[in-house]
């Protein structure tokens, strides 16, 4: 997983930003953290900490803040370098996050079935060979009533961004390509429409609770939008939160965020 959700739940707001880059990053992560905070509250109705598994968790951008909230967090990540960086990050924050080298296909051998309250699968489905199989592997790890947070690249936004950068034929190809790619040199192996992502979730035996749009405006604004407004970052956070569930705007968000439950 890339660190697209790396802002802390307590320190990631744009109000504390020192520059446009940090403010924009806060806006890009605010929607996901809003959803996760609500999910943690619902799943953690008891007194015990939740067991959270971050599959493809990279350097711990999401895992470490979750551990800071008191939860038991494990990162499953194929890269040993990323796991080492995650452990350093956790140590710097004074928390413990377990790191395990592996991929989605290894989950059944790494954890007892139904042992996780929440699984994060952020920026992973774009890269696996068979998304439905990967999500089925994740579903087997979740306890009944538990949930998975899925974050994936949006095909429609990909076409919009290519068109706005002047690559019109590539934008058209992206929309017609089953994998949501604009060509052989596209660095993204796969993108999803909202319908495709919900289809993958359903085929994995999970029930989608919500679909949010992440980074609706943050990736479209020009640099000068930040000039002369000390509160622009906070305004953008508020705008992203408002746009996240707007039925017409979800479709153009850079990423789609699905929260799904195991029945």
């Amino acid at each position: 997983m890339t660190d697209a959700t790396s802002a802390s739940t307590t320190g990631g707001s744009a109000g504390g930003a020192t520059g446009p880059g940090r403010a924009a990053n806060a806006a890009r992560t605010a929607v996901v953290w809003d959803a996760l905070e609500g999910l943690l509250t619902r799943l953690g109705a008891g007194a015990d900490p939740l067991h959270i598994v971050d599959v493809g968790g990279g350097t711990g951008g999401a895992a470490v803040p979750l551990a800071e909230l008191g939860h038991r967090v494990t990162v499953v990540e194929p890269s040993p370098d990323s796991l080492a960086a995650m452990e350093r990050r956790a140590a710097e924050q004074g928390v413990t996050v377990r790191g395990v080298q592996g991929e989605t296909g290894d989950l059944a051998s790494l954890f007892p079935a139904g042992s996780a309250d929440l699984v994060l699968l952020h920026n992973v489905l774009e890269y696996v060979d068979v998304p439905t199989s990967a999500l089925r592997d994740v579903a087997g790890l979740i306890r009944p009533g538990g949930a998975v947070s899925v974050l994936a690249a949006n095909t429609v936004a990909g076409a919009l961004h290519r068109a706005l950068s002047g690559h019109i034929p590539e934008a058209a190809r992206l929309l017609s390509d089953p994998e949501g790619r604009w060509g052989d040199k596209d660095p993204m192996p796969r993108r999803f429409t909202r319908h495709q992502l919900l289809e993958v979730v359903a085929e994995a035996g999970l029930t989608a609770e919500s679909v949010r749009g992440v980074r609706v405006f943050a990736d479209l604004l020009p640099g000068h939008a930040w000039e002369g407004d000390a509160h622009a970052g906070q305004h953008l956070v508020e705008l992203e939160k408002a746009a996240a569930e707007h039925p017409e705007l979800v479709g153009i968000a850079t990423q789609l965020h699905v929260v799904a439950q195991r029945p």
Side-chain angles (χ1 to χ4, degrees):
M1 183 188 85
T2 62
D3 286 337
T5 54
S6 62
S8 168
T9 52
T10 56
S13 71
T18 57
R22 185 174 173 186
N25 286 336
R28 292 183 178 108
T29 61
V31 169
V32 176
W33 277 112
D34 251 18
L36 289 180
E37 287 174 339
L39 194 54
L40 293 172
T41 299
R42 178 169 64 79
L43 294 174
D48 295 332
L50 297 175
H51 178 208
I52 301 173
V53 178
D54 189 354
V55 179
T59 61
V64 171
L66 289 169
E68 289 181 282
L69 294 175
H71 300 293
R72 295 185 295 114
V73 187
T74 302
V75 169
V76 179
E77 165 63 41
S79 166
D81 291 339
S82 293
L83 287 174
M86 179 276 294
E87 291 171 355
R88 289 194 296 271
R89 177 181 283 187
E92 289 170 359
Q93 297 303 317
V95 297
T96 299
V97 177
R98 180 187 174 208
V100 178
Q101 190 171 358
E103 301 179 352
T104 55
D106 302 315
L107 294 176
S109 63
L110 294 173
F111 302 92
S115 61
D117 298 294
L118 172 63
V119 177
L120 306 188
L121 194 69
H122 292 177
N123 310 305
V124 172
L125 290 182
E126 298 93 327
Y127 298 94
V128 297
D129 292 335
V130 184
T132 300
S133 296
L135 197 51
R136 283 199 187 108
D137 291 334
V138 167
L141 178 57
I142 305 168
R143 66 165 173 81
V148 57
S149 169
V150 179
L151 192 66
N154 180 10
T155 296
V156 176
L160 176 62
H161 296 166
R162 295 310 290 173
L164 289 176
S165 61
H167 301 284
I168 307 301
E170 292 178 353
R173 179 173 176 178
L174 195 154
L175 285 177
S176 63
D177 185 78
E179 301 295 327
R181 305 186 74 225
W182 50 257
D184 294 339
K185 295 183 179 180
D186 190 340
M188 183 71 70
R190 183 186 296 107
R191 296 178 182 84
F192 299 85
T193 64
R194 177 165 42 178
H195 173 76
Q196 287 172 331
L197 190 56
L198 288 175
E199 192 173 60
V200 170
V201 168
E203 290 176 353
L206 300 166
T207 302
E209 300 177 1
S210 62
V211 182
R212 292 174 175 83
V214 177
R215 296 155 60 182
V216 176
F217 294 105
D219 291 348
L220 296 175
L221 287 174
H224 64 73
W226 306 96
E227 296 175 1
D229 185 353
H231 303 290
Q234 185 58 41
H235 293 161
L236 182 56
V237 167
E238 293 167 358
L239 178 61
E240 287 288 344
K241 289 181 179 181
E245 298 185 68
H246 193 290
E248 280 77 27
L249 292 175
V250 169
I252 66 167
T254 299
Q255 294 175 305
L256 299 171
H257 183 219
V258 176
V259 172
Q261 184 179 33
R262 180 182 174 187

